[in-house]
Amino acid sequence: MSVNYISKVGVGVPEDDITYNNLTEYGKSIVKDIISDYELEVDEEDLNGWFSENVGEYDIFDILGLQVNTGNYFTGEEGYRGVDVNLNNPEPAKEEFKKVVNLEPKIFNGVLVY
């Protein structure tokens, strides 16, 4: 077994901070589309719980466009989650992130171990 790692730089927030309730209406509509596509029955009141329990099962972060992440897949350690950034002009990346998540992002860097 080998351990691979890659350095990551992005704009985002700690992964644990991203919940269904913190998504924009656009982000919530994407999650509802996933539920509909898989013909799942989820009570409207339980969407936040369903999101946190199934975010990995349905690759929800990737579908939301939050594809840059740090952490360690072997230990389950989660780091930051966000979008790619051009360090010469981070504003477009911040706007892209805020299109789906109602949290103020910051530039992060770290390592993804996989």
Side-chain angles (χ1 to χ4, degrees):
M1 181 172 94
S2 66
V3 176
N4 296 312
Y5 61 92
I6 188 168
S7 176
K8 297 286 190 158
V9 178
V11 167
V13 298
E15 192 170 300
D16 287 344
D17 291 353
I18 303 172
T19 65
Y20 179 82
N21 291 336
N22 290 337
L23 297 179
T24 63
E25 288 305 314
Y26 174 70
K28 289 178 180 179
S29 71
I30 292 171
V31 173
K32 289 178 181 178
D33 286 346
I34 294 167
I35 292 169
S36 175
D37 288 348
Y38 285 95
E39 298 179 1
L40 303 170
E41 291 187 29
V42 179
D43 189 333
E44 185 76 25
E45 295 173 6
D46 192 40
L47 283 171
N48 197 51
W50 182 90
F51 179 89
S52 63
E53 292 172 9
N54 292 283
V55 70
E57 177 75 21
Y58 296 97
D59 297 323
I60 295 173
F61 285 140
D62 289 339
I63 295 169
L64 289 170
L66 307 176
Q67 298 175 341
V68 177
N69 61 312
T70 62
N72 186 327
Y73 284 168
F74 292 107
T75 65
E77 172 192 327
E78 297 171 347
Y80 276 75
R81 179 63 77 154
V83 298
D84 280 322
V85 63
N86 175 342
L87 293 175
N88 292 317
N89 184 10
E91 289 309 311
K94 288 180 179 181
E95 292 304 315
E96 182 180 347
F97 180 84
K98 290 164 120 181
K99 190 167 72 174
V100 293
V101 181
N102 278 324
L103 297 173
E104 189 61 39
K106 71 176 197 171
I107 295 173
F108 67 86
N109 68 318
V111 175
L112 175 64
V113 180
Y114 57 101

